[in-house]
């Protein structure tokens, strides 16, 4: 097997793992897990696995002076995106949430133009318009409540900020080490949120059935730790542009699983909108606007 073929398989496997997170998230919620409990388990287990991987591979942590900005990425960006994403699943179809999240490349292009002074060319502008038009069709023909739609878009916005900041603060650092610090910080932030909720009398549940525990384990192990490791292993073999294009399999996997296992369906208008969103994302990737390679995906 050639290196490019192996890289493509690794990236595709990573996209499938990330794409299945909505399915496991819905099952965990149906089994009694609340969003704070789900997110805490996800990041604690993922952090433990990534720390173990670093020790086995003898990978060093980033310099201490760079921990603060990376930890902020995890504690605020990663956790904020996760809360928006899983809360959105409580108020909208998984397929709709997945497609809304994939607005993030468009938001990254806009933020990079504003804060990093990158120029938005004609091709990028056309892709942005295409993405927004597709999203309008997806939302207009969907069954999600306004809160679920707002949270799905919020997840994309938070993720785009996370990527834009990460492009600056993680430059030149080992991607696995950055991912590990991000997950450690996310676990700490999630634990603090859960502690505050418990002290103020709010209910925080983890899982109430074997299926719930299996779903939580899958979210942490398969959809986070393994997906991150496969993504960066594939990235090294395939390059950033091809990796970004293949990563668009993620919402396709989510829609497929939601249709098959959750009984969801896309109407004709939504299907056209979804196709436009994916076309725009691929167009942005091919125009050299993939997510920065140093930033761990969510």
């Amino acid at each position: 097997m050639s290196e490019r073929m192996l890289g493509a398989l690794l990236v595709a496997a990573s996209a499938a793992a990330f794409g299945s997170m909505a399915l496991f998230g819905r099952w965990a919620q149906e089994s009694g897990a609340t969003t704070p409990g789900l997110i805490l388990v996800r990041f604690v287990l993922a952090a433990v696995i990534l720390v173990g991987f670093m020790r086995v591979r003898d990978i060093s942590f980033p310099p201490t002076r760079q921990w603060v900005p990376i930890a902020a990425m995890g504690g605020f960006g990663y956790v904020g995106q996760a809360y928006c994403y899983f809360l959105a699943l409580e108020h909208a179809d998984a397929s709709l949430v997945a497609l809304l999240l994939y607005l993030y490349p468009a938001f990254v292009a806009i933020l990079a133009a504003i804060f990093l002074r990158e120029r938005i060319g004609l091709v990028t502008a056309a892709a942005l318009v295409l993405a927004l038009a597709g999203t309008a069709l997806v939302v207009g023909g969907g069954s999600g409540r306004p809160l679920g739609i707002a949270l799905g878009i919020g997840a994309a916005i938070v993720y785009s900020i996370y990527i834009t900041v990460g492009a600056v603060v993680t430059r030149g650092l080992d991607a696995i080490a950055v991912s590990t610090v991000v997950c450690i910080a996310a676990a700490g932030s999630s634990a603090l949120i859960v502690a505050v909720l418990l002290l103020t009398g709010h209910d925080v549940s983890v899982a109430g059935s074997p299926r719930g525990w299996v779903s939580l384990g899958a979210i942490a192990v398969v959809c986070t730790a393994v997906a991150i490791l496969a993504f960066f292993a594939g990235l090294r073999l395939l390059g950033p542009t091809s990796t970004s294009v293949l990563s668009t399999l993620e919402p396709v996997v989510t829609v497929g699983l939601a249709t098959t296992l959750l009984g969801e369906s896309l109407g004709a208008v939504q299907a056209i909108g979804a196709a436009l969103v994916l076309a725009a994302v691929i167009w942005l990737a091919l125009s050299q606007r993939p997510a920065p390679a140093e930033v761990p995906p969510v």
Side-chain angles (χ1 to χ4, degrees), residues 16 40 71 78 104-105 108 111 113 129-131 158 174 177 193 240 244 259 266-267 274:
L40 175 61
Y78 215 169
Y104 81 84
V108 168
L111 289 174
V129 172
L130 192 64
V158 173
D174 183 89
I193 291 171
S244 294
T259 301
L266 289 178

Side-chain angles (χ1 to χ4, degrees), residues 29-290:
Q29 291 168 342
E30 290 176 352
S31 299
T34 59
T35 294
L38 185 160
I39 290 174
L40 175 61
V41 172
R42 177 195 182 192
F43 288 131
V44 168
L45 290 181
V48 170
I49 293 170
L50 290 174
V51 168
F53 181 83
M54 286 185 62
R55 288 185 175 275
V56 170
R57 295 293 300 273
D58 196 26
I59 299 172
S60 301
F61 279 102
T64 306
R65 67 181 182 278
Q66 293 180 291
W67 270 62
V68 172
I70 298 173
M73 285 174 57
F76 295 101
Y78 215 169
V79 171
Q81 188 274 346
Y83 266 90
C84 286
Y85 183 82
F86 286 108
L87 287 172
L89 288 176
E90 298 178 9
H91 302 280
D93 288 348
S95 52
L96 175 60
V97 174
L99 290 168
L100 290 175
L101 176 62
Y102 256 71
L103 276 173
Y104 81 84
F107 291 142
V108 168
I110 294 170
L111 289 174
I114 295 173
F115 296 104
L116 303 181
R117 297 183 179 180
E118 293 186 9
R119 189 176 66 87
I120 295 182
L122 182 60
V123 171
T124 301
L128 294 178
V129 172
L130 192 64
L132 295 175
T135 302
L137 292 177
V138 169
V139 171
S143 58
R145 286 179 277 173
L147 179 57
I149 294 170
L151 286 167
I153 295 173
I157 292 173
V158 173
Y159 189 25
S160 64
I161 295 172
Y162 165 89
I163 287 175
T164 305
V165 172
V168 177
V169 304
T170 67
R171 187 173 291 125
L173 300 178
D174 183 89
I176 300 299
V178 169
S179 299
T180 304
V181 174
V182 164
C183 282
I184 291 172
S189 179
S190 301
L192 180 61
I193 291 171
V194 167
V196 170
L197 289 173
L198 290 174
L199 289 173
T200 54
H202 291 81
D203 176 52
V204 177
S205 301
V206 178
S209 71
R211 187 176 77 161
W213 282 108
V214 170
S215 297
L216 285 175
I219 289 170
V221 178
V222 177
C223 305
T224 305
V226 172
I228 287 174
L229 294 174
F231 176 86
F232 286 119
L235 176 66
R236 283 194 293 270
L237 298 174
L238 202 58
T241 299
S242 297
T243 296
S244 294
V245 173
L246 269 177
S247 293
T248 59
L249 284 172
E250 180 181 334
V252 175
V253 169
T254 303
V255 172
L257 291 175
T259 301
T260 305
L261 300 176
L262 297 179
E264 298 180 6
S265 61
L266 289 178
V269 173
Q270 277 188 297
I272 294 172
L276 292 178
V277 171
L278 293 177
V281 171
I282 293 172
W283 199 359
L284 284 169
L286 292 175
S287 64
Q288 301 299 312
R289 283 196 179 274

